[in-house]
Amino acid sequence: MKTVLIKTHEVWLEMLMAGFMSHTQNKQVLFDFSDILFRHFTWIEHEMIRTGESYDYDRDNIPIKVSRLEDMLKSISLHLLEIDLQLLGLEDKELAGRIKNDIGYMTGVLHRMNDEVVTAFNMERRFPGADLTDEARDALTLFLFDESYKEYELIMIYNYLKAHSNDAYLNRIFQILIDESFFHLKSFGDMMAKMGILAVPRVVMKELYQIDDVVQFLKDGINEELAAKEECRKLSDAVGNDSQELADFFEFINNQENYHIALMTDALAHYAKEGNG
């Protein structure tokens, strides 16, 4: 089962990256498929927890640099078929059947998709509709690399905490934070693709999500959100003279962080009330 988990993790990210590469109606289909694959990932994880099998979120590097979308889709299809062949190892046959059916449908759709030229790796570092100064372009580039990894990291951390918690109150908060990080990751990844600097986030170290002191993690998380707000504010100021659209977007992200801080503060209060803090 551990192999199925790892391969599902990898193909989920491959599908997400393919969505960033697309310029057509393929994009939303690929994003929808990546969401389904993430759900597969969480269901397999739950099965491993139920059966007591140890696991982590380690994975192999994921090569994605292609010039045609068709090449990426062929790679994804092959990896989906590899997972399909390994489903016999799942004890939950209903789950195995669901994943098998999804894979069958997705590979058929991928096979019929129209090909596209991929520009997500051209390194031009130009954002459509914005004439950025070198300083603003450099600031935006650094921000996108840093924050896309951070959002992926948060998805994995909150998902791990949620998978190992039976507290419905906390799990609601964790799920909101997962959903918010997905929105940010998709937004930043799409921007990276438009600028020709798309990259897969690096692997998250297990020490970051296998957390013993959740209270301290939440306290640190609040400080990180405050720092992220400041980075968004700085970036909004840096690009404001060149693109009001970008400035407004980063102010929008900045304001969203306020609610994340409120949620983590709420989680801390809940831990204290339950005698865990």
Side-chain angles (χ1 to χ4, degrees):
M1 262 200 301
K2 187 172 183 179
T3 299
V4 178
L5 186 77
I6 292 170
K7 294 303 178 185
T8 303
H9 188 170
E10 292 169 355
V11 80
W12 153 51
L13 287 175
E14 283 184 304
M15 194 78 80
L16 182 63
M17 295 297 123
F20 294 141
M21 296 175 200
S22 175
H23 308 283
T24 71
Q25 66 270 21
N26 292 336
K27 179 184 285 290
Q28 188 56 53
V29 176
L30 293 166
F31 280 162
D32 288 343
F33 285 175
S34 73
D35 290 343
I36 291 171
L37 288 167
F38 181 74
R39 292 201 292 275
H40 289 180
F41 175 79
T42 64
W43 297 339
I44 296 165
E45 179 181 26
H46 175 76
E47 182 70 1
M48 294 183 75
I49 293 170
R50 187 185 69 81
T51 58
E53 187 171 345
S54 63
Y55 73 96
D56 54 45
Y57 290 156
D58 286 350
R59 56 171 172 80
D60 291 335
N61 291 326
I62 302 172
I64 61 168
K65 194 170 286 188
V66 295
S67 58
R68 310 286 309 191
L69 184 64
E70 181 182 47
D71 295 329
M72 191 66 186
L73 300 183
K74 286 179 180 177
S75 176
I76 291 171
S77 295
L78 286 174
H79 294 153
L80 286 172
L81 291 174
E82 288 174 5
I83 293 171
D84 186 49
L85 293 173
Q86 295 167 345
L87 289 175
L88 289 175
L90 285 182
E91 185 177 309
D92 186 338
K93 299 308 175 186
E94 292 296 326
L95 174 58
R98 162 61 192 267
I99 295 174
K100 184 178 183 67
N101 287 334
D102 285 355
I103 287 174
Y105 177 74
M106 286 189 284
T107 52
V109 172
L110 295 180
H111 179 72
R112 295 189 297 272
M113 271 188 178
N114 293 326
D115 192 18
E116 301 179 44
V117 174
V118 173
T119 60
F121 310 103
N122 63 22
M123 299 298 292
E124 288 188 357
R125 296 203 304 142
R126 295 176 183 169
F127 193 82
D131 186 17
L132 300 176
T133 64
D134 289 344
E135 180 182 1
R137 185 181 298 108
D138 290 345
L140 179 57
T141 299
L142 182 60
F143 177 90
L144 291 175
F145 274 107
D146 287 347
E147 293 302 308
S148 61
Y149 168 72
K150 176 203 156 192
E151 299 300 345
Y152 169 65
E153 177 188 279
L154 289 175
I155 289 167
M156 303 318 294
I157 291 172
Y158 287 122
N159 183 73
Y160 193 88
L161 291 174
K162 181 172 179 281
H164 291 84
S165 170
N166 293 317
D167 189 319
Y169 192 91
L170 289 175
N171 283 349
R172 172 187 169 274
I173 292 175
F174 293 151
Q175 186 59 56
I176 292 172
L177 293 169
I178 290 168
D179 293 340
E180 292 283 276
S181 287
F182 261 116
F183 170 71
H184 290 182
L185 176 59
K186 286 180 178 179
S187 297
F188 299 152
D190 216 33
M191 295 174 76
M192 293 175 78
K194 288 176 180 177
M195 294 180 70
I197 56 172
L198 182 63
V200 180
R202 64 187 181 274
V203 175
V204 180
M205 295 185 297
K206 64 184 69 176
E207 292 80 7
L208 293 175
Y209 53 83
Q210 293 179 351
I211 298 166
D212 294 323
D213 190 343
V214 178
V215 169
Q216 188 59 50
F217 163 75
L218 289 169
K219 290 178 180 177
D220 292 341
I222 290 172
N223 290 329
E224 288 180 9
E225 293 288 355
L226 289 169
K229 280 176 58 62
E230 181 62 17
E231 290 303 312
C232 280
R233 186 195 64 77
K234 288 180 180 178
L235 190 57
S236 180
D237 290 344
V239 302
N241 291 330
D242 305 324
S243 172
Q244 189 60 47
E245 179 184 352
L246 282 175
D248 289 346
F249 173 75
F250 288 113
E251 183 62 24
F252 164 65
I253 295 295
N254 178 12
N255 289 330
Q256 288 190 340
E257 305 291 1
N258 294 331
Y259 188 53
H260 302 169
I261 292 169
L263 287 169
M264 286 186 281
T265 303
D266 193 9
L268 277 172
H270 181 76
Y271 263 99
K273 182 180 178 181
E274 296 298 312
N276 297 311

